[in-house]
Amino acid sequence: MEKVLGKANSLLRNRQLVEAISEYNRVIGQVGVTLPSDILSAAYNNRGQCNYLLVNFPEAIEDYSVALRHQPSNHTALFNRGLVKYRLNNFPDARTDLKQALKLRPDFPEAIECLESLEHAVREGSQAELCSDD
């Protein structure tokens, strides 16, 4: 499984997103194989990142949510889910996810930047401005 996960991660880094999703599906769909929760969480989070980059926002949110069910302390999945919600102008839920990510990792610069951008958008009554998504 490590080899398949490594291949999927490499495909994601190279922005071969459809192929990466296929490999993450292989990791996630292993019948009869019990994978550690952190591995499953990472696979769902990374498949969510592929879906996010493909602008499949509902699928991305679902993947990030499943990642969090496997590993509630996955601050990256919280940030990613919050970012998608922010992009969808769902500010209350985005704020919740971003604040939780910062509770888990207070020195998370991307989450700090995104939360500041969200708060600015709320104060100004405007649409979401892009914050870092890498």
Side-chain angles (χ1 to χ4, degrees):
M1 250 329 78
E2 289 180 29
K3 185 175 181 180
V4 176
L5 188 58
K7 179 179 179 185
N9 291 339
S10 177
L11 289 165
L12 172 56
R13 278 191 301 278
N14 292 318
R15 298 295 199 247
Q16 294 174 275
L17 304 173
V18 174
E19 295 87 352
I21 288 173
S22 179
E23 294 302 312
Y24 288 122
N25 287 343
R26 286 182 58 201
V27 172
I28 291 165
Q30 288 297 303
V31 177
V33 175
T34 304
L35 295 173
S37 60
D38 61 326
I39 299 295
L40 276 171
S41 182
Y44 276 105
N45 178 71
N46 291 353
R47 188 175 75 177
Q49 187 66 11
C50 293
N51 279 311
Y52 170 76
L53 293 169
L54 290 168
V55 195
N56 297 329
F57 292 157
E59 292 89 346
I61 289 173
E62 178 62 23
D63 280 340
Y64 297 138
S65 296
V66 175
L68 289 163
R69 283 196 292 274
H70 286 286
Q71 187 180 29
S73 64
N74 186 334
H75 62 275
T76 303
L78 276 163
F79 167 74
N80 288 337
R81 188 174 70 179
L83 178 62
V84 175
K85 290 175 179 179
Y86 174 71
R87 294 281 306 273
L88 293 171
N89 293 312
N90 182 348
F91 295 150
D93 288 348
R95 181 184 291 119
T96 298
D97 282 348
L98 294 169
K99 285 185 174 184
Q100 185 62 33
L102 286 167
K103 280 184 186 175
L104 294 169
R105 183 178 161 209
D107 64 336
F108 195 166
E110 294 88 352
I112 293 167
E113 175 189 342
C114 197
L115 185 58
E116 288 172 354
S117 182
L118 181 150
E119 297 299 351
H120 175 76
V122 168
R123 278 192 309 275
E124 299 298 318
S126 63
Q127 298 286 355
E129 298 173 15
L130 290 182
C131 56
S132 175
D133 60 0
D134 289 327

